């Protein structure tokens, strides 16, 4: 049986545990494809439970996916996101996680500021070229 067919019966949360979702519902809730969920599972960033061949996503996995998607949106690499998530599991007080987060965030801010300066310089050059072409 295909995963899509296997996931269909769990399209709604199990009555005994409303926190658990099948892959279709998890993907829909997160605004991603089922392939995206499988990709992050293959990379070791999430580990859904299995019932036979059906992937079951807990609140923890949904939360991890939300962090992954936010990290990607902010421009962090999969490796950086994995390091951050791994710290969450080994540091119950989250001290190291917060320290690491600040270092990575400040580095990313620096990179984005540099890109912003480069974009502003390019825009200025293009505006000059446009003005020269218009005056010609």
């Amino acid at each position: 049986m295909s995963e899509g067919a296997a996931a269909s019966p769990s399209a709604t949360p199990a009555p005994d545990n409303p926190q658990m979702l099948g892959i279709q519902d998890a993907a829909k809730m997160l605004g991603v494809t089922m392939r995206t969920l499988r990709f992050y599972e293959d990379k070791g960033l999430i580990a859904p439970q299995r019932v036979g061949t059906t992937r079951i996503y807990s609140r923890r996995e949904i939360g991890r996916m939300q962090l992954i998607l936010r990290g990607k949106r902010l421009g962090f690499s999969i490796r950086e996101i994995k390091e951050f998530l791994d710290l969450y599991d080994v540091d119950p007080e989250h001290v190291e996680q917060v320290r690491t987060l600040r270092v990575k965030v400040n580095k990313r801010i620096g990179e984005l500021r540099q890109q912003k300066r480069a974009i502003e310089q390019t825009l200025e050059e293009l505006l000059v070229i446009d003005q020269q072409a218009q005056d010609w």
Side-chain angles (χ1 to χ4, degrees):
M1 180 184 295
S2 73
E3 182 173 281
S8 294
S10 63
T12 56
D16 57 335
N17 193 345
Q19 305 292 329
M20 305 298 273
L21 298 172
I23 191 169
Q24 290 175 334
D25 286 337
K28 184 176 180 181
M29 178 182 179
L30 293 162
V32 298
T33 64
M34 292 185 295
R35 182 177 177 177
T36 297
L37 292 175
R38 290 186 205 106
F39 172 82
Y40 288 116
E41 180 182 0
D42 289 345
K43 295 294 181 187
L45 275 69
I46 58 173
Q49 298 173 17
R50 299 280 186 144
V51 176
T53 59
T54 303
R55 291 169 171 89
I56 303 295
Y57 294 83
S58 66
R59 215 170 62 181
R60 177 182 185 273
E61 299 310 315
I62 297 296
R64 286 176 71 92
M65 272 304 301
Q66 289 170 332
L67 289 172
I68 292 164
L69 295 171
R70 184 177 188 196
K72 289 304 292 176
R73 208 171 38 251
L74 295 174
F76 292 105
S77 70
I78 291 173
R79 182 185 51 78
E80 290 171 317
I81 294 168
K82 183 169 179 12
E83 289 172 7
F84 184 72
L85 291 173
D86 290 347
L87 281 175
Y88 184 83
D89 291 334
V90 298
D91 182 13
E93 300 297 318
H94 308 299
V95 173
E96 186 62 24
Q97 184 186 30
V98 171
R99 188 192 67 73
T100 301
L101 174 65
R102 291 202 64 224
V103 168
K104 290 184 183 299
V105 163
N106 284 307
K107 179 182 175 200
R108 185 69 182 133
I109 288 169
E111 292 168 351
L112 288 171
R113 285 184 173 149
Q114 186 176 358
Q115 288 176 358
K116 181 181 176 185
R117 284 190 298 272
I119 289 170
E120 288 170 349
Q121 181 181 359
T122 302
L123 280 171
E124 287 175 22
E125 290 177 34
L126 288 170
L127 289 169
V128 167
I129 292 169
D130 183 52
Q131 185 62 50
Q132 290 171 343
Q134 184 178 356
D135 292 343
W136 191 14

